[in-house]
Amino acid sequence: MRLIIDTNAKTVQKDDGSALDLYGREAFDLLAQLWLKTSWNQKYSYTFSWMGRPVIQHPDDMIRLQEAIYRLKPDVIIETGVAHGGSLIYSASLLKAMGKDGGRVVGVDIEIRPHNRNAIEAHELAGMITLVEGDSVAPAIVAQAAAAIRPGDVVMVILDSNHSYAHVTSELDAYASLVTPGSYIVATDGIMEMVYDTPRGQPGWDQDNPSRAAVDFAARRPDFVVEEPLMPFNESDLDRWVTAWPNAWLKRVS
């Protein structure tokens, strides 16, 4: 799509010649999607950390995630993909702030680099975090992650490791049974379907991505639906998020 932004006329002109109010909702939606693509290509999400550890997420998604965690109040959060550990620290800090001193965060990764492991294990919240190294879809590794769950626990799962369609599908199948009804399994980084044609993207990502995996999973699993958590506060006319996680939120309904 070709857009012409005229700040003097306060319009955004589209391919068909129509002009939108630059400060209107439709222009916002178009420009927000473009911003997501350019920000991803510039590695904008690589400029953020949480309590000392790189987190590598768009702040918009982190804020939405914390509200969902606050409302759900899970006892256990299982995350695939550890990287620098910022997301694990983030989840642990939220559980701690909610008074969930017995809350547990499990990080699963095929490789946890020594310097990252050392930093995570030296962190003030390390006592709430368990690291599991190995293939996230291997039955023995899934079992190690599940060992943190106690009877009656509310469990949430966040998938942020290998983002290929095949691997995300395998993770959804492997971890879905651990998610408690009313909770979520979150397939992050579906932004891949939007950025396949950027300089840092790859051809094929428009189909090979977590968003498509989540939608197809929900289509064959009546116990899950693609459903974003409700916005608890919204005094705008906007009804959709600026997010790098399209179709990420899979809610277990039974």
Side-chain angles (χ1 to χ4, degrees):
M1 178 182 290
R2 182 169 180 259
L3 300 175
I4 300 175
I5 301 172
D6 189 332
T7 57
N8 291 325
K10 299 181 176 61
T11 60
V12 176
Q13 184 174 316
K14 299 168 61 178
D15 283 338
D16 60 8
S18 62
L20 305 174
D21 174 7
L22 175 60
Y23 299 108
R25 176 173 165 180
E26 188 175 351
F28 173 84
D29 285 341
L30 288 172
L31 296 176
Q33 295 305 301
L34 179 59
W35 177 83
L36 278 170
K37 293 183 71 168
T38 59
S39 68
W40 182 88
N41 194 67
Q42 292 298 317
K43 302 181 76 170
Y44 173 73
S45 61
Y46 285 71
T47 67
F48 297 97
S49 59
W50 188 263
M51 296 183 70
R53 300 304 301 157
V55 73
I56 314 180
Q57 294 292 353
H58 280 70
D60 301 64
D61 290 313
M62 293 181 65
I63 292 295
R64 302 292 185 192
L65 176 61
Q66 68 80 25
E67 195 63 36
I69 290 174
Y70 179 72
R71 295 176 71 184
L72 185 63
K73 293 181 170 54
D75 300 286
V76 180
I77 300 174
I78 297 174
E79 302 187 22
T80 64
V82 170
H84 300 277
S87 182
L88 302 179
I89 301 299
Y90 182 69
S91 293
S93 71
L94 294 175
L95 297 183
K96 181 76 172 179
M98 291 187 296
K100 289 269 188 179
D101 292 334
R104 282 139 279 142
V105 178
V106 181
V108 181
D109 204 306
I110 197 166
E111 179 188 10
I112 303 174
R113 296 177 179 176
H115 65 282
N116 289 327
R117 178 185 288 276
N118 292 339
I120 295 167
E121 292 178 345
H123 198 275
E124 295 90 334
L125 295 171
M128 301 178 70
I129 298 171
T130 299
L131 296 175
V132 178
E133 187 166 21
D135 184 346
S136 62
V137 298
I141 297 301
V142 176
Q144 286 186 53
I149 301 171
R150 301 167 186 165
D153 279 345
V154 174
V155 181
M156 182 179 193
V157 176
I158 302 171
L159 307 179
D160 192 18
S161 61
N162 180 331
H163 295 302
S164 70
Y165 177 92
H167 189 79
V168 173
T169 297
S170 295
E171 286 189 328
L172 288 168
D173 288 333
Y175 290 90
S177 64
L178 304 183
V179 178
T180 45
S183 184
Y184 299 89
I185 185 166
V186 189
T188 70
D189 284 351
I191 193 173
M192 287 169 60
E193 70 179 358
M194 298 167 53
V195 300
Y196 72 95
D197 58 348
T198 63
R200 290 184 56 233
Q202 293 184 21
W205 279 4
D206 56 331
Q207 298 296 317
D208 187 14
N209 61 70
S211 176
R212 181 167 167 252
V215 170
D216 287 353
F217 174 82
R220 61 182 170 81
R221 289 287 298 257
D223 50 339
F224 282 88
V225 295
V226 177
E227 181 181 302
E228 293 179 344
L230 294 175
M231 299 180 182
F233 174 77
N234 183 12
E235 290 188 353
S236 76
D237 292 328
L238 302 175
D239 59 2
R240 65 176 184 173
W241 301 352
V242 177
T243 178
W245 299 356
N247 299 313
W249 294 84
L250 286 157
K251 183 177 182 179
R252 185 170 183 181
V253 293
S254 63

